Amino acid sequence: MVSLPPSLQKQVSVMSMNLSAKLDELQRGDRQLETTVALCEIRTQLQELTKSVESCQSEVSEVKRDMVAIKHELDTVQQVKEEIEELREYVDRLEEHSHRRKLRLLEQGLTLFLSYAILAAVLGMLQFGYNTGVINAPEVNIENFMKDVYKDRYGEDISDDYVKRLYSVAVSIFAIGGMLGGFSGGIIANRFGRKGGLLLNNVLGIVGGCLMGFTKMAHSYEMLFFGRFIIGVNCGLNTSLVPMYISEIAPLNLRGGLGTVNQLAVTVGLLVSQVLGIEQILGTDEGWPVLLLLAICPAILQLLLLPVCPESPRYLLITKQWEEEARKALRRLRASNQVEEDIEEMRAEERAQQAESRISMTELICSPTLRAPLIIGVVMQLSQQLSGINAVFYYSTNLYTSSGLTEESAKFATIGIGSIMVVMTLVSIPLMDRTGRRTLHLYGLGGMFIFSIFITISFLIKEFFGYVQEMIDWMSYLSVVSTLFFVVFFAVGPGSIPWMITAELFSQGPRPAAMSIAVLVNWIANFVVGIGFPSMKTSLENYTFLPFSAFLAIFWIFTYKQVPETKNKTFEEILALFRHGNDRSSLRDSRLYGMIQKCRGIKVLII
């Protein structure tokens, strides 16, 4: 039974007392008029009491409805609480499962077939290294060939400045072809696959090598330019496709070290071209066409070795949605039937980038989420090319002769550069997954900055004390040693990391477009250095390396402030890192939210 409110009880009591008083008065009174008035008053009070009771009943009904609503809300809250607890349990289980999965991924080793696949793929980067360095040693022989062709055509001698310009075209047109190839890399990778693109690219390598090799027979330096352009397109495609393929087939814990094999292949190609280019082997007027023709060897070898290798499992699973083919490829690469961890990691990457699937270059540039990693990828490529290393690769022989070495000694010093590059790249392979990409890149840029200053100092001292023969000899060696250490620190970090980290910063959808943009920027900078260094050397003379020193300082600061560490991180984790601006708590929340979404998906499937 519901009790009346206190105010209503008081009102009823007052009215009852009044009613009793009126009844007593009626009992004592004799007149009819007074009785009628009293009854009217009683009737009025009774009506008011009735209204108050009805109002009270209405309030009681509202209270009952509110109580029912509150009870319903409490039931809902309790249900939500139970669901949250259930989801927490799911999240804990999934986090534990994800942690175990990552540990299993980190335990994967290097198999024989994976080594074979990487060896077959990096032949493309060996091609790049060979053709970067092959033009250096026979510079004088090629210039003499151009003079002979010009005189036979026009019946007059060509000026030395014009010959230098023609030779700089032969050097730099390689980079123009590289721009075109690098820019096309993403399209080729999506259209034909990573492996398919590499196989097709070898046709360009063979055509370009033949054009360069038969230049002297055709008595046409234009044929040399065209061959260098075609081989440049080939190398540009290689610089986009090879790092992409290796990063996608490599296990998580070996991705850094195996990515460094890219640079090892480049340095081996450089060294081979430098050794073959000395006068005792092919650095002669008769031998230099053969030296250029040998560029077909890596292409032919890759055509023989690569068909046995599988296509990238990530490309098969994420891009083509061919899960069974991806499993087969993984079983061969991992030499094991237990490939579920890799499949799950790829699925996680696919979920993380579903909104960015098959992203175009324009969409990539305009995407707020992907802008930061794109800027980092581009600046890392610039840090490689604008460090001044290609000035050393293209013109080291000329640099050494101008610093006081004989031409023969300069060529052997150039071979020393190639040897140091190979050794230090081998040293950096185990360091890559132990020390981390960011740390090695900082060490590399810092060391290059210091020794670029020493190179400038050696040039200045040679000018000021040029009349003292002992000082000239000492400065020549200082220049060689400074250049060698400059190359050492390049091999430690900037040589390999930009190729690798660009592929690591992006998930499967935007990765081809990002690689295309980054490689295009790399080749543009390569071209600018190749075509501009002779003029810069003429204008700045002893201060030639100072602009590179300034760039190295800028790139070191950028790397320190902006570049994240990607060592042992899955593609999903790297994507989440940029999505939340490198904030760890946001990254944790993002992973929690992702786990909850997975839980809901699991619950839906169960229901």
Side-chain angles (χ1 to χ4, degrees), residues 348-367:
E349 179 188 347
E350 183 182 23
R351 286 191 296 270
Q353 57 87 44
Q354 277 178 348
E356 299 151 2
S357 182
R358 287 298 186 94
I359 193 168
S360 67
M361 291 186 192
T362 306
E363 291 169 335
L364 174 61
I365 294 170
C366 296
S367 170

Side-chain angles (χ1 to χ4, degrees), residues 412-440:
F412 281 107
T414 299
I415 292 174
I417 288 176
S419 303
I420 289 289
M421 283 280 289
V422 172
V423 172
M424 289 310 300
T425 304
L426 283 170
V427 170
S428 70
I429 289 176
L431 293 177
M432 195 63 64
D433 285 308
R434 188 176 304 168
T435 307
R437 288 69 150 146
R438 178 177 178 272
T439 304
L440 283 182

Side-chain angles (χ1 to χ4, degrees), residues 573-588:
E573 290 171 338
I574 295 169
L575 182 66
L577 192 67
F578 282 107
R579 182 165 287 158
H580 296 281
N582 294 346
D583 182 69
R584 292 188 178 182
S585 62
S586 297
L587 174 58
R588 185 179 64 251

